[in-house]
């Protein structure tokens, strides 16, 4: 088996299972998991804290550039990582209604995306990263050895997101509310001018509507191990 660790890039719409699958894959293969959406949520959270208008692209870009953001691997947590802003753990606050409603607008700002992409690429330079988001295959890691687009029907994604929210305290949204918000998020993500959500040419499409996270993760793990074995075999043949 090759000792050089490969990167895995995963794209897909909100609540499509990217986070859970990426976390399972990283744990199984001993790789670093990074949910890029948490980075954009952190910025959205900070913008709300500072009362930065969500239509002020210049102010949001400046905020992104100056944001003291750190991520820490936490495989035993639901998010798979902990997010710190200015040294304070804000992970638990990043899936609240206000942040969820604001994140797509924040993530559509070109200056914000440029800053976050640089941060994400820096993390992946050493290899061995499982990165999930909406433009990972197309923009952030276009050279990633393994690329995937994980999808699921809107109804299934809404059901999953609603169940997650019901498990948290303080949720007063109905299923219809959640479905409508996801539909709106889908539209915004796929129609934004900068780095819209789409399937990359090399990305393997997986419909996760009727598959569990464990079933999907096993596909990715098998692909990784197969490619790693092929690379090791090629390396050995060159040496001989």
């Amino acid at each position: 088996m090759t000792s050089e660790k490969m990167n895995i890039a995963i794209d897909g719409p909100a609540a499509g299972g990217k986070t859970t699958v990426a976390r399972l894959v990283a744990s199984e293969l001993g790789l670093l998991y990074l949910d890029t959406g948490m980075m954009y949520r952190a910025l959205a959270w900070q913008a709300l804290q500072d009362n930065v208008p969500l239509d002020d692209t210049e102010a949001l870009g400046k905020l992104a550039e100056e944001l003291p953001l750190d991520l820490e691997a936490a495989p035993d947590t639901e998010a798979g990582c902990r997010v710190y802003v200015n040294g304070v753990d804000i992970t638990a606050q990043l899936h609240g209604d206000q942040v969820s409603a604001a994140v797509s607008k924040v993530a559509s700002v070109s200056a914000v995306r440029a800053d976050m992409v640089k941060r994400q690429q820096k993390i992946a330079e050493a290899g061995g990263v499982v990165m999930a988001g909406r433009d990972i295959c197309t923009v952030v890691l276009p050279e990633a050895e393994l690329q995937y687009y994980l999808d699921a029907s809107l109804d299934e994604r809404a059901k999953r997101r609603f169940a997650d929210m019901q498990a948290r305290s303080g949720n007063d949204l109905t299923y219809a509310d959640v479905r409508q918000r996801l539909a709106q998020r889908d539209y915004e993500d796929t129609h934004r001018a900068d780095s819209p959500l789409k399937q990359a040419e090399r990305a393997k499409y997986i419909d996760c509507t009727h598959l569990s996270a464990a079933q999907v993760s096993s596909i990715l793990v098998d692909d990784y191990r197969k490619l790693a074995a092929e690379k090791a075999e090629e390396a050995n043949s060159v040496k001989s």
Side-chain angles (χ1 to χ4, degrees):
M1 191 71 70
T2 179
S3 60
E4 181 181 348
K5 291 187 176 181
M6 299 178 289
N7 289 326
I8 301 177
I10 304 173
D11 286 332
K18 300 185 304 294
T19 299
T20 303
V21 169
R23 190 172 69 246
L24 289 172
V25 171
S27 177
E28 178 69 21
L29 295 172
L31 306 179
L32 173 65
Y33 161 71
L34 176 63
D35 178 7
T36 60
M38 296 291 276
M39 300 172 72
Y40 289 103
R41 284 178 175 274
L43 181 61
W45 177 86
Q46 189 63 61
L48 293 171
Q49 297 299 304
D50 295 347
N51 294 314
V52 176
L54 298 181
D55 59 355
D56 190 338
T57 57
E58 183 176 350
L60 288 171
K62 188 173 187 295
L63 183 64
E65 184 179 342
E66 299 175 349
L67 188 70
L69 174 66
D70 293 293
L71 286 86
E72 177 184 271
D76 294 333
T77 66
E78 180 180 357
C81 65
R82 296 192 183 282
V83 182
Y84 297 84
V85 169
N86 206 23
V88 178
D89 184 353
I90 63 167
T91 312
Q93 303 177 59
L94 296 186
H95 280 92
D97 291 347
Q98 286 187 310
V99 171
S100 294
V103 65
S104 186
K105 294 179 181 178
V106 169
S108 69
V109 177
S110 294
V112 168
R113 302 200 70 81
D115 180 83
M116 293 298 176
V117 166
K118 288 181 182 177
R119 296 181 191 229
Q120 294 155 11
Q121 290 175 333
K122 184 68 176 178
I123 294 172
E125 280 181 357
V129 172
V130 182
M131 197 175 293
R134 287 172 177 75
D135 63 349
I136 309 306
C137 303
T138 55
V139 176
V140 183
L141 299 178
E143 303 303 319
E145 290 88 343
L146 292 165
Q147 299 185 354
Y148 299 89
Y149 189 92
L150 305 188
D151 201 2
S153 70
L154 176 59
D155 286 338
E156 178 62 22
R157 289 187 288 121
K159 184 172 71 174
R160 294 174 184 175
R161 177 59 57 84
F162 182 64
D164 288 342
M165 297 179 74
Q166 287 291 93
R168 303 189 183 100
S169 59
N171 173 56
D172 57 0
L173 295 178
T174 66
Y175 169 82
D177 293 331
V178 173
R179 190 182 188 283
Q180 190 279 327
R181 288 192 178 192
L182 279 179
Q184 179 62 31
R185 181 73 192 274
D186 287 349
Y187 181 85
E188 292 173 350
D189 286 344
T190 55
H191 287 78
R192 65 190 180 209
D194 190 351
S195 308
L197 170 65
K198 62 181 180 180
Q199 183 183 349
E201 185 176 342
R202 289 200 301 113
K204 180 177 182 176
Y205 180 90
I206 302 178
D207 186 343
C208 307
T209 302
H210 303 295
L211 297 175
S212 69
Q215 289 173 316
V216 178
S217 66
S218 68
I219 295 172
L220 275 62
V221 168
D222 288 346
D223 287 349
Y224 184 96
R225 288 174 172 160
K226 180 180 179 181
L227 182 57
E230 291 174 355
K231 284 178 171 288
E233 185 176 350
E234 290 176 3
N236 291 332
S237 64
V238 171
K239 289 179 182 179
S240 60

